[in-house]
Amino acid sequence: MTLLEIKNLHLQFNSDEGLALVLDGINLKVQKGETLGLVGESGCGKSVTGMSILQLVPTPPGEITQGEIIFDGENLLGKSTKEMREIRGRKIAMIFQDPMVSLNPVYTIGNQIAEAIDLHQPKGISSTWEGVVDSLASVQIADPASRAHNYPHQFSGGMCQRGMIAMMLSCRPSLLIADEPTTALDVTVQAQVLKVMADLQKELGMAVILITHNIGVVAETCDRVAVMYAGNIVETADVETLFENPQHPYTRGLLGSIPRADRDMNELTIIEGSVPNLTKPPQGCRFHPRCKEAMDICRQTKPTDLDLGDGHIVACHLYG
Amino acid sequence: MLIEVKNLRKEFAVGGILFQAQRETVKAVDGVSFSIKAGTSLGLVGESGSGKTTVAKTMLRLHEPTAGEFHFDGQDVFALPRVEMRKLRRRIQIVHQNPNASLHPRMTVMAQIKRPLQIQGIGDRTTYENQVLDMLNRVGLNPEHARRFPHEFSGGQKQRIAVARALITAPEFVALDEPTSALDVSVQAQVLQLLRRLRSELELTYLFVSHDLGVIRYMCDEVAVMYLGQLVEHAEKPKLFANPLHPYTQSLLSVVPIPDPTMRHRDRKMLTGEIPSPKNPPSGCRFHTRCPHVMAHCKTDEPKMKEVESGHRVACHLYE
């Protein structure tokens, strides 16, 4: 069952250098309970996609010019500020890359989680506090009852991120948007946080959009993957298909360019050049200046989404 | 051996801005020894706070060492007086993590790459520019880039400029401190390939500092693993990846995300907790607080680095 559907979303930013077309017609579906990985390099629009779902994109300079975001049958783009506030946290929650920035340094962790619970599910002081301790326990904070009285600076980076997860999940949202949740963490701690997230997701039956640039993390945690490049989703597939049988030249290049820790690699795939400036995006397919297989049509016409079967969608003229 | 580091120590004084008595020392590097053969690369891997960057910076005397020796091609680097040290800098160079911080924002590319030549008195005014243009070509930039300023370049190009500046004096040894951590994977692949090519073309010796085991595996001949200011394991690359001995190395290798969904269900040796503060490191073996194989004497006796087979050293009581 589809929980969230993004249809033809266009978003632009008014910058000093001119109008940047940051999202150029995004189509995306998230099923109930699944983990969707949204991957791509910096500036491809993956974070902004997550933020536009919750309408956290500052307007101005940002502006959604076209499209729909349908969550649970309703278009979020038509909601008022008050209605959005009801949805944020209770139905859709989001965690960010740097927990130290997201948490308020002058309130205790417990206090901040209690605030989230109070706001959405008021149930009296003592049972709220029980909820706080329970949620800290659920993310494997040792000694949660006394740790709840700690301030963020008394927590390590990994514990802060688990605290954020506890806060976000205390209201049992049906969708969690996790924007680079483990990027600031060391690998041994990253493994702990990813495990906590996966266990809780299973328990709550919640869907997750995992926004990351780390292809390894995607392979380990996601059910489906959408690959973004310069404001477009270029390929979507279930995780096994995407890694075994990538179709878009960018996906293939990206997967081949990762130095792997589990095997020796003689050569990495090189994608020449760098990501385009989105105030002057290339005509046609935005990847064509870096594509080894670029044809004439790629320079003129934007490729449309093509379904290769089993939900494997690719936007590339090679298959059109 | 071109590079020999013996028992390197570096302490930093922290805190106590107001009261001397509150001053604490952090042992960032606490007795590290290794050597590097000419023309090979040693990878120094570890989590944040392990001291790997401090090792590189102290070797270059960007920090003055607290104790220990560094012999470069027979010279005792830490004993060199200022003038001699400056002369030696021609032969030992460093590339930092963030080119935005290491490049001068108001100097053209030509001016900043030329600077080391002027300081070291290599060639004369008439040859400087040609040397710079040759070097730009080597790192994959064009002659017209020479007139531009750093802000006009992408991250990958900036790092190429930083590499060009480090190599312009024709050094024999280059310390690379997380040179690709700030870059996207597709650009990282370009820079790694460049660094490998330059190493063989110019017969360079690298100390490659990174937290990314995939990058280390791609770039290095030998790998040394750091934990809380000390080396825990040092081996030739094939030995380390095929047969990691230290429990920390074993865990690190098992939890690093692999970009292959079929590997998702492999055994992982998850660690609990996080790297302790170097202000107050655990007694005995510093890893004992997180070690799954901890024994009674690990808490009291510090393990010594020991060669268990040729080309494979480990500091762990399990192997005594």
Side-chain angles (χ1 to χ4, degrees):
Chain A
M1 221 192 107
T2 306
L3 179 68
L4 176 87
E5 183 171 6
I6 299 179
K7 285 187 195 164
N8 197 29
L9 186 69
H10 284 72
L11 182 130
Q12 61 189 35
F13 271 97
N14 225 327
S15 75
D16 296 344
E17 292 172 52
L19 218 50
L21 306 163
V22 174
L23 294 180
D24 183 29
I26 299 277
N27 294 300
L28 195 67
K29 273 186 192 169
V30 184
Q31 308 297 325
K32 270 201 169 127
E34 78 168 348
T35 305
L36 174 82
L38 202 52
V39 289
E41 299 179 283
S42 31
C44 70
K46 53 191 192 303
S47 288
V48 125
T49 302
M51 287 168 78
S52 58
I53 296 170
L54 280 177
Q55 293 181 27
L56 296 175
V57 178
T59 312
E63 190 191 352
I64 292 175
T65 52
Q66 240 191 82
E68 290 175 89
I69 299 175
I70 300 179
F71 175 75
D72 240 357
E74 293 179 79
N75 187 359
L76 295 183
L77 294 182
K79 298 271 178 201
S80 66
T81 316
K82 188 159 173 272
E83 288 170 317
M84 272 318 288
R85 201 177 290 154
E86 293 286 302
I87 291 169
R88 289 189 197 117
R90 186 181 300 184
K91 292 184 176 161
I92 308 178
M94 186 159 184
I95 51 177
F96 298 91
Q97 176 168 341
D98 191 342
M100 292 294 192
V101 174
S102 312
L103 290 167
N104 190 331
V106 300
Y107 290 99
T108 62
I109 302 272
N111 208 323
Q112 298 183 53
I113 299 177
E115 186 188 0
I117 297 177
D118 256 355
L119 213 56
H120 294 296
Q121 293 155 346
K123 51 187 176 186
I125 293 173
S126 64
S127 62
T128 297
W129 196 253
E130 263 169 45
V132 167
V133 175
D134 282 352
S135 64
L136 282 176
S138 71
V139 293
Q140 279 155 42
I141 301 278
D143 193 9
S146 66
R147 280 301 200 164
H149 295 288
N150 282 171
Y151 289 89
H153 75 269
Q154 293 167 300
F155 270 35
S156 65
M159 284 167 71
C160 274
Q161 199 58 294
R162 281 184 282 155
M164 278 302 294
I165 293 173
M167 185 189 305
M168 288 306 147
L169 303 192
S170 60
C171 297
R172 306 191 160 240
S174 49
L175 175 65
L176 173 71
I177 304 170
D179 187 1
E180 305 268 9
T182 59
T183 304
L185 308 176
D186 281 316
V187 278
T188 58
V189 181
Q190 166 171 282
Q192 297 164 5
V193 171
L194 289 176
K195 175 123 197 334
V196 162
M197 268 179 65
D199 292 349
L200 282 171
Q201 179 189 9
K202 216 179 269 172
E203 198 186 311
L204 302 177
M206 159 185 81
V208 174
I209 299 180
L210 181 73
I211 299 172
T212 180
H213 70 282
N214 189 326
I215 315 286
V217 169
V218 168
E220 306 227 320
T221 54
C222 296
D223 302 313
R224 280 195 316 125
V225 189
V227 181
M228 288 193 75
Y229 183 79
N232 291 122
I233 291 179
V234 295
E235 187 164 4
T236 313
D238 64 79
V239 70
E240 287 87 6
T241 311
L242 190 97
F243 280 82
E244 253 166 56
N245 194 15
Q247 294 298 318
H248 197 283
Y250 177 65
T251 314
R252 280 192 245 140
L254 193 65
L255 293 179
S257 67
I258 311 158
R260 293 178 60 156
D262 64 327
R263 66 166 73 139
D264 288 316
M265 297 181 76
N266 285 327
E267 284 309 325
L268 301 176
T269 312
I270 303 293
I271 307 175
E272 299 293 347
S274 52
V275 214
N277 179 341
L278 293 184
T279 56
K280 305 178 213 72
Q283 282 281 307
C285 172
R286 288 186 170 187
F287 185 60
H288 86 256
R290 302 177 74 189
C291 184
K292 283 186 182 132
E293 296 168 73
M295 305 171 288
D296 281 341
I297 187 173
C298 305
R299 295 179 191 101
Q300 288 142 19
T301 321
K302 186 185 165 186
T304 49
D305 289 351
L306 190 77
D307 196 337
L308 304 175
D310 288 334
H312 190 172
I313 297 165
V314 62
C316 177
H317 288 301
L318 285 176
Y319 310 97
Chain B
M1 292 293 171
L2 183 70
I3 303 285
E4 275 199 272
V5 172
K6 284 186 203 157
N7 209 10
L8 182 66
R9 283 173 205 279
K10 175 64 195 171
E11 293 173 0
F12 292 102
V14 293
I17 294 161
L18 221 50
F19 302 106
Q20 280 287 320
Q22 286 178 356
R23 203 158 258 250
E24 293 173 279
T25 48
V26 172
K27 293 177 177 174
V29 177
D30 194 15
V32 164
S33 306
F34 58 84
S35 50
I36 313 178
K37 277 197 259 331
T40 68
S41 302
L42 173 69
L44 201 53
V45 70
E47 295 181 287
S48 36
S50 62
K52 53 196 193 303
T53 293
T54 308
V55 168
K57 290 194 175 171
T58 310
M59 284 171 72
L60 274 283
R61 285 179 72 179
L62 302 181
H63 302 309
E64 281 302 318
T66 304
E69 291 169 41
F70 166 28
H71 293 274
F72 174 78
D73 196 16
Q75 286 184 80
D76 185 353
V77 176
F78 294 160
L80 290 179
R82 225 180 120 86
V83 180
E84 294 298 312
M85 188 61 212
R86 178 166 275 197
K87 274 191 206 149
L88 182 74
R89 292 196 183 280
R90 173 178 181 165
R91 302 173 66 193
I92 58 174
Q93 286 285 346
I94 186 165
V95 176
H96 297 282
Q97 174 169 357
N98 181 357
N100 293 320
S102 70
L103 296 177
H104 196 301
R106 297 181 63 180
M107 273 168 103
T108 62
V109 168
M110 172 58 83
Q112 44 199 329
I113 302 179
K114 193 163 73 175
R115 195 85 182 111
L117 295 175
Q118 296 167 327
I119 292 170
Q120 296 288 342
I122 301 169
D124 58 60
R125 206 163 296 190
T126 56
T127 66
Y128 288 156
E129 301 216 339
N130 280 331
Q131 291 185 65
V132 173
L133 293 177
D134 274 355
M135 187 50 75
L136 282 179
N137 183 34
R138 250 187 210 288
V139 299
L141 294 170
N142 303 326
E144 66 256 33
H145 288 143
R147 284 178 283 121
R148 299 195 196 161
F149 290 91
H151 74 265
E152 299 175 70
F153 294 90
S154 66
Q157 286 175 318
K158 282 183 215 170
Q159 203 56 302
R160 287 171 195 264
I161 297 166
V163 169
R165 187 179 57 184
L167 298 183
I168 193 75
T169 61
E172 291 141 77
F173 170 66
V174 185
L176 299 151
D177 182 15
E178 304 260 17
T180 60
S181 304
L183 307 177
D184 278 315
V185 274
S186 73
V187 179
Q188 165 172 279
Q190 298 168 2
V191 174
L192 292 179
Q193 192 197 41
L194 170 73
L195 290 170
R196 286 228 300 204
R197 199 188 76 223
L198 291 171
R199 188 185 68 171
S200 64
E201 280 176 10
L202 306 172
E203 296 170 5
L204 300 168
T205 304
Y206 284 164
L207 175 69
F208 198 100
V209 175
S210 179
H211 68 282
D212 186 325
L213 280 159
V215 170
I216 292 273
R217 184 163 194 163
Y218 181 68
M219 289 299 298
C220 302
D221 305 296
E222 290 186 20
V223 185
V225 183
M226 279 192 84
Y227 187 79
L228 266 187
Q230 296 179 330
L231 285 192
V232 295
E233 187 162 1
H234 176 190
E236 290 160 10
K237 177 173 73 180
K239 288 181 176 148
L240 189 104
F241 281 96
N243 183 27
L245 294 176
H246 198 284
Y248 178 62
T249 317
Q250 289 172 351
S251 171
L252 214 52
L253 285 177
S254 81
V255 299
V256 55
I258 306 291
D260 180 352
T262 59
M263 306 276 285
R264 194 182 274 192
H265 299 290
R266 69 184 185 278
D267 267 344
R268 288 185 184 78
K269 298 188 169 81
M270 299 275 276
L271 292 179
T272 51
E274 294 183 35
I275 191 164
S277 161
K279 269 189 219 166
N280 191 11
S283 60
C285 172
R286 295 189 169 186
F287 185 58
H288 85 252
T289 52
R290 300 173 77 192
C291 184
H293 306 289
V294 61
M295 300 172 288
H297 61 294
C298 297
K299 295 172 186 165
T300 50
D301 305 342
E302 199 169 298
K304 296 238 164 9
M305 197 62 145
K306 186 180 159 217
E307 186 151 34
V308 285
E309 56 172 327
S310 121
H312 200 155
R313 300 189 294 151
V314 64
C316 176
H317 290 305
L318 288 173
Y319 304 95
E320 278 167 4

